[in-house]
Amino acid sequence: MSETPDNAVHSEPTAAVRAYVEQHRRAFLGDLAEWLRIPSVSAQPERAGDVRRSAEWLAAKLTETGFPTVEVWETDGAPAVFAEWPSDAPDAPTVLVYGHHDVQPAAREDGWHTDPFEPTVIDGRLYGRGAADDKGQVFFHTLGVRAHLAATGRTAPAVHLKLVVEGEEESGSPHFRALVEKHADRLAADAVIVSDTGMWSETTPTVCTGMRGVADCEIDLYGPDQDIHSGSFGGAVPNPATVAGRIVAALHDADERVAIPGFYEGVTELTEAERELIAELPFDEAGWLATAKSHGTLGEAGYSTLERVWARPTAEVNGIGGGYQGPGGKTIVPAAAHLKLSFRLVAGQDPARIETAVRDWLAGLVPAGVRHEIVFGAPTRPCLTPLDHPALKAVAGAMSRAFDGAKVRYTREGGSGPAADLQDVLGAPVLFLGISVPSDGWHAPNEKIELDLLMKGVETAAHLWGELPAALRAAVRR
């Protein structure tokens, strides 16, 4: 921030928070724009220096915000930033905020109306790569903690506050788990707040309660030692492309359930209360299909579209190939075929068990005369916060205050992220706090953030630190 934290105390905390946020809004947005100008694209090796510059910029700004401990942590890839601000309350719980400072690639020729790394405000929206994903949602915590202090008259947060902001999330977080394991004692917390998610819409504030995990694999199938004549040999030797087609056909049964034996072992089923909450959301299936650029829904029988993408596991064919693909005919039995599969996982599923199940299933489908190889990537585990967890209610309560008493509903995310690594290693519940909306265009041209919603994120963070101590004590008692 451009100004130093102050301790102005107002008569009513909610009004005090809002007044402080409005007073410092211009400087906050100026600082955010400065950060967005750094093209911290982790996927592009030539941008490694910019990713480091982004980490150093954030570290300096967190120090300016008031965090007494700020460090840049090295990894085998891009650097992460750690910050810590101890509470002066002896029984204060510890809360860790997670986010990332790297961004997706972006160029004007991709379809941007403005320079992606020259932040531009148009009609109350800030356009720029990283505005929503995730720099804007990381940065609102800097003003949020200052507003918390100003509104309460405190000199330190009501919680022992920590931040870890990684630099490789957009590249799959390849070194994040090792970083968490290395610094587990420094990152130890009673709860983790992930600010790398969003809300249902501008008018429907929501809190995410879980994300799916993912496991993916590549399968190579080898038949003849070279492409051979289909007239001379076809029908008498196995065709790896045919085998690939049979593998794909065997993935699902007639009800679109994954047909791999043992796949659903341990799945945490939706409760009736959760299904009712999902059904309450103002879901426009036609609009959703338009966003998906698709022409009809299809999925596991007995579940709604939202239930399928949020709370049910899936198997998808990401790629399939083999044999001749050029113009005209070429009558061969191809030497090889290839598949790429991915599996979205839900709470209760173990990626290691899924890998074993897929390997065993595949071995039973490949005939003699075809050699196969299967390689799995690094998995991401699923995570889920129980709806009755007191800390989740605290997040919803803080958001409701920021949104003038509006009812806060619950969602899940169909995608995956590194939050489960924090849950696994630290043994702490993961809670999600994000204010981005679907129209913000994550990973797309013209990414933006709604400025008024960004300020609501600031206010939510400011309220949250005062509400979490009692909630986390209640969670311990329970």
Side-chain angles (χ1 to χ4, degrees):
M1 299 300 168
S2 299
E3 306 92 352
T4 56
D6 63 54
N7 294 319
V9 182
H10 300 265
S11 58
E12 205 285 313
T14 301
V17 164
R18 184 159 298 171
Y20 188 91
V21 170
E22 285 302 312
Q23 179 185 352
H24 296 83
R25 174 174 174 147
R26 182 185 295 273
F28 167 79
L29 293 178
D31 287 341
L32 175 57
E34 185 178 305
W35 194 20
L36 294 176
R37 291 189 183 98
I38 302 174
S40 50
V41 182
S42 61
Q44 297 175 335
E46 65 271 21
R47 294 292 192 187
D50 292 315
V51 178
R52 178 167 298 278
R53 187 159 59 98
S54 170
E56 292 170 348
W57 186 97
L58 177 60
K61 197 58 61 175
L62 291 173
T63 298
E64 186 180 319
T65 296
F67 283 85
T69 299
V70 180
E71 300 168 4
V72 175
W73 284 353
E74 300 298 332
T75 74
D76 289 338
V81 178
F82 172 78
E84 185 172 12
W85 195 335
S87 175
D88 54 12
D91 61 344
T94 300
V95 179
L96 173 68
V97 174
Y98 165 86
H100 63 91
H101 67 91
D102 64 320
V103 300
Q104 282 279 310
R108 186 68 180 263
E109 55 267 28
D110 296 337
W112 284 77
H113 302 319
T114 60
D115 185 329
F117 295 106
E118 183 49 53
T120 305
V121 176
I122 303 173
D123 297 330
R125 297 163 177 161
L126 176 61
Y127 289 86
R129 178 58 89 213
D133 181 24
D134 183 36
K135 288 179 177 178
Q137 301 204 97
V138 168
F139 202 54
F140 72 56
H141 286 286
T142 62
L143 183 53
V145 68
R146 289 178 55 198
H148 163 65
L149 298 179
T152 61
R154 303 182 63 92
T155 57
V159 298
H160 189 107
L161 186 59
K162 302 178 182 180
L163 274 74
V164 61
V165 185
E166 70 159 314
E168 295 183 300
E169 194 274 347
E170 299 294 6
S171 296
S173 302
H175 303 105
F176 184 65
R177 187 179 180 99
L179 181 75
V180 175
E181 291 173 341
K182 178 180 178 181
H183 297 286
D185 57 335
R186 301 287 304 280
L187 295 171
D190 298 296
V192 176
I193 302 292
V194 173
S195 282
D196 185 24
T197 185
M199 301 194 312
W200 180 262
S201 72
E202 291 91 334
T203 57
T204 305
T206 55
V207 174
C208 177
T209 63
M211 298 184 76
R212 293 192 293 187
V214 65
D216 68 282
C217 65
E218 297 187 19
I219 299 170
D220 297 313
L221 301 160
Y222 302 100
D225 292 335
Q226 64 180 37
D227 293 350
I228 57 177
H229 194 288
S230 66
S232 300
F233 304 104
V237 297
N239 183 321
T242 301
V243 175
R246 288 175 177 160
I247 292 169
V248 169
L251 266 177
H252 300 91
D253 65 17
D255 290 326
E256 295 299 326
R257 282 177 59 86
V258 180
I260 298 171
F263 184 79
Y264 290 91
E265 181 181 342
V267 165
T268 300
E269 299 289 345
L270 280 163
T271 66
E272 285 305 312
E274 288 172 317
R275 301 188 79 171
E276 289 171 5
L277 288 172
I278 291 174
E280 287 180 3
L281 291 165
F283 180 58
D284 174 8
E285 190 164 275
W288 181 86
L289 278 171
T291 301
K293 302 295 189 290
S294 300
H295 309 285
T297 61
L298 181 67
E300 185 180 358
Y303 295 92
S304 70
T305 298
L306 289 181
E307 290 170 349
R308 290 168 180 166
V309 297
W310 286 351
R312 298 301 296 167
T314 66
E316 294 291 345
V317 180
N318 308 128
I320 181 170
Y324 180 66
Q325 304 292 330
K330 186 179 183 183
T331 53
I332 59 167
V333 174
H338 312 279
L339 290 170
K340 291 179 182 287
L341 307 179
S342 64
F343 306 90
R344 294 287 174 174
L345 311 178
V346 300
Q349 287 183 296
D350 179 359
R353 288 205 306 265
I354 294 299
E355 179 175 338
T356 298
V358 172
R359 289 182 181 276
D360 292 345
W361 168 79
L362 179 66
L365 290 174
V366 178
V370 171
R371 178 173 61 87
H372 75 277
E373 297 176 356
I374 179 170
V375 177
F376 276 82
T380 298
R381 299 181 69 86
C383 60
L384 181 65
T385 307
L387 286 179
D388 61 351
H389 196 290
L392 177 62
K393 295 180 179 180
V395 175
M399 180 172 281
S400 180
R401 291 177 67 185
F403 281 83
D404 301 316
K407 180 178 180 179
V408 175
R409 303 178 186 275
Y410 298 105
T411 64
R412 297 193 195 182
E413 291 281 351
S416 306
D421 288 332
L422 292 165
Q423 187 179 56
D424 285 351
V425 177
L426 304 180
V430 171
L431 307 155
F432 297 87
L433 171 56
I435 47 74
S436 180
V437 290
S439 62
D440 285 344
W442 291 27
H443 298 198
N446 304 306
E447 179 185 346
K448 54 86 175 171
I449 193 80
E450 301 283 338
L451 292 181
D452 286 345
L453 290 183
L454 184 60
M455 296 303 109
K456 296 295 187 187
V458 174
E459 291 182 32
T460 301
H463 294 311
L464 181 59
W465 308 138
E467 297 204 9
L468 269 178
L472 290 172
R473 284 193 291 269
V476 170
R477 288 196 300 269
R478 189 180 66 163

